Amino acid sequence: MTSALMLFPLPHQMGAPYFDEKDVSDFILQWENLTMDWLDRLRIKKVLLYCEKIIGKYVKTLGTYIRSNNWERFVAELKSDFKDDNSEQQRNTEAFLQNMVQQMRQQQQDPSVSEYRSFIFEYAERSLLLVQNSVISTHTQVFMFLQAFSDRIGDKLCKRYSIDIDEPAITTNVWNTLKTEALKIYTWEDSCYEPLPGR
């Protein structure tokens, strides 16, 4: 126990969590990792020591801080009140997803395989969270995903899985195989574009 306390960073010490109103999700994640064995009351009350002074004064006024009996509710209130400066929360929105799709679709030159793979991985992570939170439907998840690709690739994927974007019920169970197939297509096409020997 003594060694654990010695390893715990003091406020303002290098490497200690610090909340200055920006990126509340990152701060919460750091704080949860450091205090995972703490009781909710202690976890909530001590968080003020790791906040900018004026932010700490505001946090003290929150109902969930005053009660200090439920960490999850306290986190939800923090995220709600500081969402405008929280880049993680902004990335987990339908608008962010649409922007990702448009940027991929509108690139002047064909994106590289690594760029497409990065897009697919991030889109899968972000869209799954939105589906789980009922922000978008699985139909929207599939439809937006297909929009990111060229018409040729999009048509190939639709034909392979008999996807009709005007029939939402058809898209319900295709997401997992669709994203896997999209990754396979780009990996395969990249190997096909290697220059022939002597050319």
Side-chain angles (χ1 to χ4, degrees):
M1 181 68 176
T2 306
S3 60
L5 287 173
M6 288 174 64
L7 291 172
F8 197 89
L10 297 171
H12 306 292
Q13 184 179 342
M14 186 176 291
Y18 182 69
F19 184 47
D20 60 357
E21 188 176 6
K22 294 177 183 172
D23 292 324
V24 66
S25 290
D26 291 343
F27 169 75
I28 288 167
L29 182 61
Q30 282 185 288
W31 188 247
E32 285 179 336
N33 287 337
L34 282 171
T35 62
M36 61 178 62
D37 296 324
W38 291 20
L39 297 174
D40 282 5
R41 179 170 182 76
L42 183 62
R43 198 180 218 184
I44 293 169
K45 289 297 184 183
K46 293 295 183 185
V47 82
L48 293 186
L49 298 173
Y50 294 82
C51 294
E52 187 178 278
K53 192 172 183 179
I54 193 166
I55 300 301
K57 286 182 178 180
Y58 175 77
V59 171
K60 282 178 77 171
T61 69
L62 300 179
T64 54
Y65 176 84
I66 293 166
R67 290 187 291 278
S68 292
N69 61 358
N70 190 304
W71 173 251
E72 297 303 324
R73 288 182 189 159
F74 175 69
V75 165
E77 191 167 15
L78 270 185
K79 285 186 175 180
S80 175
D81 284 11
F82 294 99
K83 64 184 177 186
D84 292 339
D85 287 312
N86 189 8
S87 58
E88 181 62 24
Q89 277 178 279
Q90 290 167 8
R91 287 193 294 270
N92 292 328
T93 62
E94 185 176 358
F96 182 84
L97 213 59
Q98 288 173 339
N99 190 47
M100 278 179 62
V101 167
Q102 288 171 1
Q103 285 182 354
M104 184 57 66
R105 179 79 183 193
Q106 293 172 356
Q107 287 196 31
Q108 295 298 317
Q109 298 176 340
D110 287 338
S112 67
V113 171
S114 62
E115 287 174 316
Y116 264 120
R117 288 173 65 84
S118 295
F119 164 78
I120 292 168
F121 290 140
E122 184 168 10
Y123 183 93
E125 178 188 355
R126 304 287 172 198
S127 66
L128 178 61
L129 187 62
L130 294 178
V131 169
Q132 289 172 341
N133 292 334
S134 301
V135 176
I136 63 173
S137 65
T138 51
H139 172 68
T140 301
Q141 180 186 35
V142 169
F143 177 67
M144 287 174 62
F145 183 69
L146 291 169
Q147 286 182 316
F149 303 103
S150 67
D151 292 340
R152 183 174 60 83
I153 296 295
D155 288 346
K156 186 185 288 188
L157 290 168
C158 284
K159 285 176 184 174
R160 187 162 298 183
Y161 294 103
S162 302
I163 296 171
D164 183 346
I165 57 174
D166 295 323
E167 294 290 337
I170 295 174
T171 61
T172 303
N173 298 313
V174 300
W175 167 246
N176 285 327
T177 48
L178 181 64
K179 69 179 180 186
T180 302
E181 189 62 33
L183 284 168
K184 285 181 184 175
I185 285 174
Y186 277 100
T187 302
W188 179 82
E189 292 208 345
D190 186 47
S191 66
C192 289
Y193 288 141
E194 290 178 2
L196 295 172
R199 301 261 329 241

